[in-house]
Amino acid sequence: MPMQYYFRGFTYDSEQCKLWFKSKEIKITKRQNNLLHFFLQSENKVVSKGELIEHVWHGRIVTSNTIDQNILKLRNLLNEIQAGEYLQSVYGLGIRFLPEVKTNLTHKSFSKRHKLALIFAGVILFCIPGYFYYVSIKPDETGLTRLNLDIKHDSINNKHSMNNWLIYAGGRYLTNLLFQYEGFDSINYKQDLLTSASYNILTLQFNANDDVHHSLHIDFNNSLQGYYVAQLTDDDFQEEKTHLIKANDINVLFAEISQWIVVTYADDVKKKQNIEQVFSSDEYALESYFRAMQAQQQGNAEQALVYLQAATKKDAEFKYAWYESAVAYRNKGDPRKALSILSVIDTQHLLLKYQVILVSAQCYDVTMNFDKAKKLYQQAYELALDFQQPAKQATILISQAIMYRKLKQYDLAEEALKTALSLIGSETHPYLFGTLSNTYANLAREQHNYQSAIKHSLLAIAAFQKVGNSRYANNAKTVLSSILLIRNEFKSAKRWINESLFYAQEVNYLRGISDNKTKLAMIYQKTGRFDLA
């Protein structure tokens, strides 16, 4: 039967094959129409390119690049009418249509059975607080605050939940809250972005009660009217505890989560004396910081600085916001500005002190002050040993290896990487393993060991894809394509260049677009296709 689909102000009629935005008809090509119709029917699932060939191109032979270009055109068409995230590329799997879609059937009146089901569901929801402990902190239900800043959110990684930004700084903030208690010094956190079901889930790992290992999964996606679900599960999945928390602001939300962990998993709750406050208690400043961390994660240092300036203007004593400002300037390619900020952060907070020293070392490294960098790397390494966290030690060793590579001290660089590799693995620390592999690839390339360089580039790409970090995965693809070009392996190089170019076009990364098109031109020139070059 004819269907009408509704999403984000758009209406699509499957019988007339027409698209409207509000009351205005939108011109759409036949191919865009077929693509959109198929995505709307797919109900938010990942659609493979094979399925697109079967249902949109009806079995015709088409290249992957043709499919990518048509998807890009559809994405751009929708964005020109109404800015937002519509189509998400899931590397190695396919494409997902992100907006919530309703149909004309959804808008019809419910049957009696539907009404009874809704009544039953309402009763269940009403009874949930009777089964779970929850905390009510304010009479209003306005939800978390929103900053009055004219910045687009979630424009790079294509995540589809409004609460996505909570995970980017949530791990560090929660780690800091738990660090104030005895027995919670060794804490790791990660973002679980591998499947659609796990978006917006922060995983916190720690040991408590006779070194039993615990993983706390904090789900910011499945929230309902101010409820946020925190699910704690042991690694062997023999014990599961779920706790509902009702909170209207970040401070209370994370304070309640940390209190729950401490009370539930510490035999004797003791708070450390004279713990330095390095975060803000101001809600506006805190959310500014959280938003900045999302921008940092996505590689947008300019946007991060806008948020961080809002945070430090609101609370000048917000030390972590100042630290992240330095990181943003370093990422922008201004290490001297970063050093000027780092030099005035006066802290004895061990976690922050370690981070300030490490980033200072990296900035001196970039400015070629290697003697200063070496001393600071050593200081940071000694602190990392005190933390007894292998990942922190490996991070410094990788940074040292990068420095030794610049100094052409290849033996020292390789020794540092081998030591780091003994501390971490692709399963336990995939992001860090990707950074290590990429460093190995660059080191091997400089020594003309291209086979090893290719091997480590592929390991880096796989590791970054595992944690859903498209930005670094594509950086690794760029390294790989450069190695393949040196070896005149043009077919393989072109494949990686096209993938990297597609990502650069998706996020409007102009330098990436330019670099990859230049590489394509080189391939065409060397293979005699001068018109394409």
Side-chain angles (χ1 to χ4, degrees):
M1 65 174 291
M3 290 280 284
Q4 285 191 330
Y5 300 87
Y6 308 92
F7 63 98
R8 295 188 183 172
F10 289 93
T11 301
Y12 175 79
D13 190 302
S14 65
E15 183 179 35
Q16 300 182 61
C17 297
K18 288 185 178 182
L19 178 68
W20 292 271
F21 180 70
K22 298 182 179 177
S23 59
K24 181 182 177 181
E25 184 177 347
I26 308 302
K27 291 183 179 180
I28 186 170
T29 67
K30 182 179 178 181
R31 186 70 66 211
Q32 290 169 344
N33 170 78
N34 292 342
L35 269 173
L36 180 60
H37 188 193
F38 186 63
F39 281 127
L40 290 170
Q41 291 175 303
S42 299
E43 298 181 348
N44 201 245
K45 76 170 186 175
V46 177
V47 175
S48 70
K49 289 186 178 179
E51 290 176 280
L52 291 175
I53 291 172
E54 180 183 352
H55 296 282
V56 178
W57 276 269
H58 306 295
R60 286 177 47 217
I61 298 175
V62 293
T63 65
S64 180
N65 187 56
T66 298
I67 296 173
D68 292 340
Q69 290 301 316
N70 277 276
I71 288 170
L72 182 61
K73 288 176 182 176
L74 177 59
R75 180 186 284 115
N76 290 340
L77 171 74
L78 297 173
N79 259 293
E80 285 174 8
I81 307 302
Q82 170 86 327
E85 305 309 322
Y86 295 93
L87 295 163
Q88 176 195 32
S89 300
V90 181
Y91 184 80
L93 297 177
I95 309 294
R96 178 189 290 109
F97 191 73
L98 297 179
E100 181 185 356
V101 179
K102 295 182 179 180
T103 68
N104 51 325
L105 296 179
T106 310
H107 288 270
K108 288 185 178 182
S109 59
F110 290 99
S111 65
K112 183 177 180 181
R113 186 177 63 181
H114 289 147
K115 289 178 180 177
L116 288 172
L118 281 177
I119 292 170
F120 178 74
V123 170
I124 294 297
L125 285 174
F126 180 78
C127 292
I128 283 176
Y131 291 96
F132 301 105
Y133 170 78
Y134 70 90
V135 180
S136 178
I137 56 130
K138 287 184 180 179
D140 64 283
E141 297 292 335
T142 56
L144 293 167
T145 59
R146 292 288 173 268
L147 298 179
N148 185 23
L149 296 175
D150 186 19
I151 296 176
K152 282 179 64 179
H153 303 316
D154 307 326
S155 60
I156 293 182
N157 280 351
N158 296 322
K159 303 303 182 287
H160 61 278
S161 170
M162 63 178 288
N163 295 321
N164 170 50
W165 56 275
L166 279 168
I167 65 173
Y168 291 97
R172 177 171 292 169
Y173 185 45
L174 193 50
T175 297
N176 177 74
L177 292 175
L178 290 170
F179 189 73
Q180 299 176 27
Y181 295 90
E182 300 288 350
F184 288 95
D185 294 334
S186 181
I187 302 169
N188 294 313
Y189 60 87
K190 65 179 181 177
Q191 300 148 23
D192 189 356
L193 303 174
L194 303 184
T195 67
S196 62
S198 63
Y199 284 128
N200 308 293
I201 294 178
L202 173 68
T203 298
L204 196 76
Q205 297 173 331
F206 59 93
N207 294 329
N209 291 351
D210 299 324
D211 289 330
V212 176
H213 188 78
H214 300 281
S215 293
L216 171 67
H217 305 288
I218 309 164
D219 189 342
F220 299 112
N221 188 35
N222 298 324
S223 57
L224 178 65
Q225 294 182 349
Y227 282 91
Y228 295 85
V229 180
Q231 185 175 38
L232 187 69
T233 309
D234 286 345
D235 275 5
D236 58 10
F237 296 100
Q238 292 180 1
E239 180 184 6
E240 184 174 297
K241 299 181 180 180
T242 303
H243 184 55
L244 293 182
I245 296 172
K246 187 176 183 182
N248 289 342
D249 60 56
I250 302 170
N251 270 304
V252 173
L253 175 63
F254 282 90
E256 290 297 330
I257 292 172
S258 65
Q259 285 294 306
W260 176 47
I261 297 170
V262 170
V263 171
T264 305
Y265 289 91
D267 290 326
D268 186 14
V269 181
K270 291 182 180 179
K271 196 162 187 177
K272 297 175 184 175
Q273 298 296 316
N274 302 319
I275 290 293
E276 182 182 348
Q277 297 302 315
V278 290
F279 276 86
S280 178
S281 59
D282 182 90
E283 183 69 13
Y284 182 93
L286 196 57
E287 184 172 342
S288 300
Y289 172 81
F290 271 66
R291 297 285 190 184
M293 293 304 92
Q294 180 182 24
Q296 293 273 54
Q297 179 78 8
Q298 296 170 344
N300 193 336
E302 290 285 355
Q303 181 173 315
L305 281 169
V306 172
Y307 283 124
L308 291 166
Q309 286 163 5
T312 52
K313 185 176 181 181
K314 186 70 175 176
D315 183 355
E317 300 300 317
F318 193 168
K319 292 184 180 181
Y320 253 110
W322 285 113
Y323 161 74
E324 289 295 345
S325 298
V327 173
Y329 278 113
R330 181 202 62 184
N331 293 345
K332 275 186 63 180
D334 192 348
R336 288 181 174 81
K337 180 72 171 178
L339 283 168
S340 68
I341 295 173
L342 292 167
S343 65
V344 296
I345 299 177
D346 181 21
T347 180
Q348 294 304 312
H349 188 282
L350 290 180
L351 285 174
L352 180 56
K353 186 177 182 180
Y354 158 79
Q355 290 163 325
V356 167
I357 293 173
L358 175 57
V359 175
S360 297
Q362 292 168 341
C363 289
Y364 280 117
D365 188 345
V366 171
T367 57
M368 305 300 180
N369 189 339
F370 297 118
D371 288 338
K372 187 73 172 176
K374 287 178 182 178
K375 291 177 182 177
L376 290 174
Y377 278 137
Q378 186 58 38
Q379 288 181 33
Y381 192 73
E382 288 170 3
L383 280 174
L385 289 173
D386 291 338
F387 286 125
Q388 297 182 345
Q389 291 187 20
K392 285 185 169 58
Q393 299 167 39
T395 298
I396 298 163
L397 289 164
I398 294 167
S399 296
Q400 287 176 316
I402 294 170
M403 178 185 67
Y404 289 135
R405 181 171 66 84
K406 292 177 189 173
L407 293 167
K408 309 296 182 185
Q409 296 174 352
Y410 297 130
D411 289 344
L412 290 175
E414 190 159 356
E415 183 183 342
L417 290 175
K418 284 181 178 178
T419 306
L421 194 56
S422 70
L423 296 168
I424 62 168
S426 60
E427 294 299 320
T428 55
H429 301 88
Y431 172 82
L432 203 51
F433 181 81
T435 305
L436 188 154
S437 299
N438 211 33
T439 306
Y440 246 127
N442 282 310
L443 181 64
R445 179 179 63 173
E446 287 195 13
Q447 298 178 86
H448 309 293
N449 187 350
Y450 300 124
Q451 201 60 42
S452 176
I454 291 170
K455 169 191 167 186
H456 285 101
S457 287
L458 290 170
L459 287 172
I461 292 167
F464 289 132
Q465 287 172 344
K466 185 173 183 178
V467 293
N469 194 316
S470 300
R471 176 190 170 205
Y472 284 100
N474 279 278
N475 287 346
K477 290 175 188 177
T478 298
V479 172
L480 178 57
S481 64
S482 298
I483 298 164
L484 293 169
L485 282 175
I486 293 171
R487 290 165 57 92
N488 292 326
E489 296 182 20
F490 300 129
K491 185 176 180 181
S492 296
K494 186 180 176 184
R495 172 198 164 191
W496 295 108
I497 291 168
N498 277 330
E499 289 192 14
S500 196
L501 176 61
F502 179 69
Y503 171 78
Q505 289 171 330
E506 270 196 312
V507 302
N508 198 30
Y509 177 37
L510 298 181
R511 181 177 173 181
I513 294 170
S514 175
D515 288 349
N516 284 293
K517 286 191 173 182
T518 301
K519 287 180 181 177
L520 283 176
M522 289 171 60
I523 292 174
Y524 293 137
Q525 187 176 16
K526 289 184 177 182
T527 54
R529 291 175 286 177
F530 300 111
D531 55 335
L532 290 174

